[in-house]
Amino acid sequence: MAKISINLTSGTVAKSSVVIGIDLGTTNSLIASIEETSRMPYCITKDEASIVPSVLHISNDAISIGQSAINKMVDEPENTIYSIKRLMGKSYQDVMKGNHKLNYEIVDNDDKLIQVRIEGRLYSPTELSSYILKELKNIAELKLNTQISKVVITVPAYFNDSQRQATRDAGKLAGLDVLRIINEPTAASLAYGLGQDTEKPRTVAVYDLGGGTFDISILSIQDGIFEVLATNGDTSLGGDDFDQQIVNFWQDLFNLENLSKNEKQSLRLTAENAKKILGESGEFHSVLLLGGKNIPLSLNIKQLNELINPLVCKTLICSQNALKDAELRAEDIDEIVLVGGSTKTVFVKEKVSKLFMSAKVNNNINPDEVVALGAAIEADILAGNRTDMLLLDVTPLSLGIETLGGMMDVLIPRNNKIPTKLRKEYTTSVDGQVNLAINVYQGEREMVADNRKLGEFILQNIPSMPAGMPKIEMTFMLNADGILQVSAEEKRSGVQQQVEMKPQYGITDDEIKSMLKASIDNAESDMKTRSLAEAIAEGDQLIYATDKFINQNAHLLTSSDIDGINKHVQILRQAVNAKDRNLIVTSTEELNNFSRQFAEKAMDEKIAKALQGKKID
Ligand code: ADP
Ligand code: MG
């Protein structure tokens, strides 16, 4: 039973401070909380089940959710909504690309978000999801005997902004205050306590095989920062496909054709049951009345493994592709986290462990519940109840570096949660540049001159390369103590340099406020200054590149060609000197248009030379 705190001086009952995490799944959803004294997460149950199937049945405006809705699936398919998560934040066109067959009616809403029609009324996926969330909220409120509002909800790591926003909106519609949307693999890792060890960075593979989807995420966890290195998966592969394989096997074996809807459903449920039971024992036997005959259905472990082998192999290929994208080998993975009901299948566990041979397998938390449990832990951190874990905070001002023309280029935006780590790639603007000065600033203004300088350093000894060739990766890592680590690495040569700075050091809250105010007051003139700076930088770049082009290709150009180009260069140079933005933009475009013919000529020659096997410069 949850405690209700009472303010002793006023005697009023304080608003509930229950901590809640929600896993809003494609197949199943769960709600979890934190035990007050032990601060251990646990799933809230109804009739002893923690899982609420993410299925709704709507008829005559009456809505039922979960198992009772599943029971209607056969008789009223068009009123029974499942896999609503697949539609979140998507247009009709997006959904059609997915190629998932749905039994209910989806409606094209002209490029806008897709809708579902049930008995003539239109519903948004957000609204439908909100009913599932409301059901979870009711279950929790009944069980905890208190109102709940503040929650953390999880989404797949690959969800885009629109999908995340739709999820957030669904929470709001359900009367919840969504503190944060977090990634499912992050939640699962949190449940295993990964990333709390501040010393050791860990590379974690989160393998999530649910009912209809497979997701693999590679995370790097350090100092409480969860960085998604790569995600991969298959949006139409999951435990339901295992069931289908078993159904097909039995249908072939007993020549089961022309089954009624109800018989098909029973056969499917028997297949799912067989799959689950075979996890524990080696044999499954059952008798089912199909087509007027008693059919003795049986399956053993060996048969099951053979049936699902091609599907499991597919997940392993996705996992290898994720590793490739993260530029890692299987041996680089320190830990695997198994998530999703389908990882209970022993064959799946074995195959995954084999792929990541040197990793520690984390599977002692129920894979159905692990995401919800992790979400509850995140909610507990946000509520400030965990001193043992890093409290995620936000940056009051943007952090970035100076780029060409004195412009501010933001790496960590204002209000970004900390700890955080963000990367961006840059290059040089001049040929043979071997040193690169990196100036770090804080603030919201467009030009660095108006922001606060935090520090600078020089990335030295970059091998001499043409402008644009070096790949300079800047990484900003802001830890929970507010220390900013800035590092720069030229990826081709591996040359690197890093420094630490304290953005909050020596700045008061009042100064932050006045900086924010100044950025609002000057927004318009700042935009103008920035667009002029951008035009000048682009113009300068083009003049530089054109001069270089003439030098390198003099043999292809007549003197009147050169004169013509130079005339355009001259006009652009004058525009740059006059700082006339519009004139710079048009002169840049004109010079580009004029020199295109010569660039094509030079390109043809390069290709011809290459075809002759000569070295091109
Ligand atoms: P989602 O994340 O898509 O909501 P879940 O993680 O809840 O899905 O996984 C649901 C899938 O897990 C279903 O296909 C179900 O059959 C399967 N599953 C549940 N328990 C077991 C088990 N003991 N053995 C094998 N598969 C299981
Ligand atoms: Mg899931």
Side-chain angles (χ1 to χ4, degrees):
M1 188 64 54
K3 282 182 232 146
I4 295 177
S5 38
I6 297 172
N7 182 328
L8 290 177
T9 42
S10 67
T12 51
V13 178
K15 258 178 96 188
S16 154
S17 58
V18 209
V19 166
I20 296 288
I22 294 177
D23 170 6
L24 184 60
T26 313
T27 319
N28 295 311
S29 297
L30 298 94
I31 185 162
S33 187
I34 298 283
E35 210 283 311
E36 295 239 353
T37 40
S38 68
R39 302 234 74 80
M40 291 294 282
Y42 67 96
C43 281
I44 300 169
T45 56
K46 181 186 175 188
D47 305 332
E48 287 177 29
S50 55
I51 284 175
V52 175
S54 309
V55 182
L56 305 104
H57 175 264
I58 302 186
S59 181
N60 298 321
D61 290 332
I63 303 174
S64 65
I65 284 140
Q67 191 54 49
S68 60
I70 290 187
N71 297 341
K72 301 284 173 87
M73 192 102 79
V74 174
D75 293 330
E76 298 178 43
E78 52 296 319
N79 292 40
T80 313
I81 315 299
Y82 56 91
S83 289
I84 196 68
K85 192 173 176 178
R86 292 189 192 279
L87 310 186
M88 290 295 268
K90 291 195 172 172
S91 69
Y92 184 81
Q93 283 71 23
D94 292 337
V95 173
M96 291 324 267
K97 268 183 251 155
N99 207 19
H100 300 292
K101 50 177 196 307
L102 299 166
N103 287 335
Y104 48 88
E105 189 189 355
I106 48 175
V107 182
D108 192 351
N109 189 22
D110 296 335
D111 272 0
K112 291 206 252 348
L113 298 182
I114 196 171
Q115 294 184 306
V116 178
R117 183 155 34 217
I118 308 157
E119 292 182 342
R121 168 158 158 14
L122 291 176
Y123 295 83
S124 69
T126 297
E127 181 182 354
L128 294 170
S129 290
S130 82
Y131 296 132
I132 300 175
L133 290 171
K134 238 182 236 163
E135 171 76 4
L136 294 170
K137 181 175 184 264
N138 288 342
I139 292 174
E141 289 184 339
L142 211 65
K143 194 84 178 206
L144 303 177
N145 200 18
T146 180
Q147 283 216 332
I148 61 169
S149 74
K150 292 189 188 318
V151 300
V152 167
I153 304 179
T154 59
V155 295
Y158 61 78
F159 254 32
N160 64 24
D161 285 344
S162 159
Q163 293 167 299
R164 282 167 202 263
Q165 191 56 45
T167 307
R168 201 176 259 284
D169 291 345
K172 216 186 279 170
L173 217 53
L176 297 167
D177 176 8
V178 183
L179 296 176
R180 189 161 289 174
I181 297 283
I182 67 165
N183 290 335
E184 287 158 14
T186 299
S189 306
L190 268 175
Y192 279 105
L194 297 174
Q196 290 171 59
D197 187 339
T198 51
E199 314 267 281
K200 263 194 288 175
R202 311 297 281 161
T203 308
V204 181
V206 182
Y207 179 101
D208 182 349
L209 192 58
T213 56
F214 169 62
D215 297 314
I216 173 90
S217 314
I218 313 283
L219 309 181
S220 157
I221 311 179
Q222 188 182 6
D223 285 341
I225 302 173
F226 291 76
E227 189 188 7
V228 180
L229 299 180
T231 62
N232 206 303
D234 189 329
T235 51
S236 24
L237 177 59
D240 299 347
D241 301 292
F242 291 6
D243 306 344
Q244 191 58 48
Q245 287 288 88
I246 301 170
V247 167
N248 295 348
F249 169 71
W250 284 335
Q251 278 191 318
D252 289 349
L253 198 65
F254 298 104
N255 282 319
L256 301 170
E257 283 151 28
N258 309 321
L259 294 181
S260 72
K261 268 192 204 169
N262 276 305
E263 287 176 328
K264 274 189 197 155
Q265 176 76 344
S266 308
L267 191 61
R268 210 196 58 73
L269 287 175
T270 311
E272 181 174 5
N273 202 19
K275 168 186 81 176
K276 289 183 182 172
I277 285 174
L278 284 179
E280 286 141 32
S281 74
E283 296 272 336
F284 171 87
H285 298 286
S286 176
V287 177
L288 208 60
L289 184 64
L290 297 169
K293 271 185 271 175
N294 276 323
I295 308 287
L297 301 170
S298 67
L299 194 72
N300 63 38
I301 276 272
K302 198 163 157 273
Q303 288 167 324
L304 173 72
N305 294 352
E306 269 167 28
L307 288 172
I308 63 173
N309 185 40
L311 300 171
V312 179
C313 282
K314 269 195 189 173
T315 69
L316 300 181
I317 292 169
C318 290
S319 305
Q320 274 158 338
N321 288 336
L323 282 172
K324 220 180 281 164
D325 288 344
E327 294 177 17
L328 293 172
R329 292 160 307 161
E331 307 88 271
D332 298 325
I333 302 296
D334 303 312
E335 316 247 359
I336 323 169
V337 173
L338 294 181
V339 183
S342 302
T343 60
K344 289 185 200 165
T345 300
V346 178
F347 186 69
V348 173
K349 249 185 273 189
E350 285 171 0
K351 284 284 191 180
V352 182
S353 317
K354 214 166 164 188
L355 174 65
F356 300 103
M357 208 128 60
S358 45
K360 177 175 168 240
V361 183
N362 294 282
N363 69 341
N364 56 347
I365 301 177
N366 184 344
D368 294 328
E369 298 186 344
V370 65
V371 168
L373 297 174
I377 294 175
E378 173 83 11
D380 205 30
I381 298 172
L382 290 172
N385 292 333
R386 289 188 173 232
T387 43
D388 58 327
M389 286 177 91
L390 294 164
L391 177 67
L392 305 171
D393 212 339
V394 297
T395 53
L397 293 169
S398 303
L399 298 164
I401 61 168
E402 175 179 359
T403 55
L404 211 59
M407 285 179 281
M408 173 84 174
D409 199 49
V410 173
L411 276 107
I412 300 182
R414 173 177 127 67
N415 275 343
N416 202 87
K417 73 168 188 212
I418 55 170
T420 190
K421 183 173 174 182
L422 285 159
R423 289 193 184 128
K424 227 171 169 177
E425 208 168 270
Y426 296 87
T427 189
T428 53
S429 55
V430 183
D431 286 339
Q433 192 169 343
V434 291
N435 292 330
L436 188 72
I438 290 157
N439 294 305
V440 182
Y441 286 84
Q442 174 182 48
E444 308 314 307
R445 303 286 297 273
E446 297 289 342
M447 308 303 293
V448 291
D450 299 316
N451 286 329
R452 180 171 181 252
K453 186 163 180 174
L454 294 176
E456 61 177 86
F457 65 99
I458 294 174
L459 181 63
Q460 286 174 321
N461 302 326
I462 304 170
S464 180
M465 283 180 256
M469 271 296 276
K471 285 171 86 167
I472 295 154
E473 184 179 84
M474 293 291 312
T475 307
F476 272 36
M477 182 161 146
L478 188 59
N479 75 13
D481 303 324
I483 294 167
L484 175 69
Q485 191 186 77
V486 179
S487 49
E489 181 183 353
E490 200 290 301
K491 300 290 274 186
R492 295 183 192 277
S493 57
V495 173
Q496 58 172 324
Q497 177 81 34
Q498 67 179 53
V499 291
E500 273 184 5
M501 34 196 97
K502 280 191 181 163
Q504 290 324 103
Y505 188 77
I507 187 166
T508 64
D509 282 355
D510 283 344
E511 280 167 316
I512 292 176
K513 273 189 205 133
S514 75
M515 281 175 81
L516 289 175
K517 189 169 177 302
S519 80
I520 296 164
D521 293 345
N522 295 296
E524 209 185 318
S525 69
D526 271 11
M527 275 322 290
K528 280 201 186 121
T529 316
R530 185 178 179 106
S531 71
L532 172 63
E534 276 170 357
I536 291 178
E538 202 184 327
D540 278 341
Q541 279 297 156
L542 185 62
I543 293 172
Y544 179 81
T546 310
D547 284 345
K548 188 168 128 187
F549 177 80
I550 295 177
N551 284 337
Q552 286 175 351
N553 297 287
H555 63 289
L556 289 174
L557 304 167
T558 66
S559 63
S560 83
D561 289 344
I562 296 178
D563 284 350
I565 298 175
N566 277 336
K567 215 170 78 206
H568 282 87
V569 169
Q570 195 54 31
I571 295 170
L572 175 56
R573 195 169 275 142
Q574 275 162 6
V576 168
N577 290 342
K579 297 198 188 326
D580 180 335
R581 187 199 163 262
N582 291 342
L583 198 58
I584 300 172
V585 172
T586 49
S587 317
T588 302
E589 206 178 293
E590 276 164 17
L591 172 54
N592 259 326
N593 288 340
F594 185 77
S595 35
R596 185 162 302 125
Q597 44 178 323
F598 307 113
E600 279 163 7
K601 218 167 165 186
M603 189 60 84
D604 287 346
E605 195 205 29
K606 273 196 188 181
I607 292 166
K609 274 190 189 171
L611 289 176
Q612 287 161 22
K614 286 190 190 142
K615 194 169 165 284
I616 51 171
D617 51 8

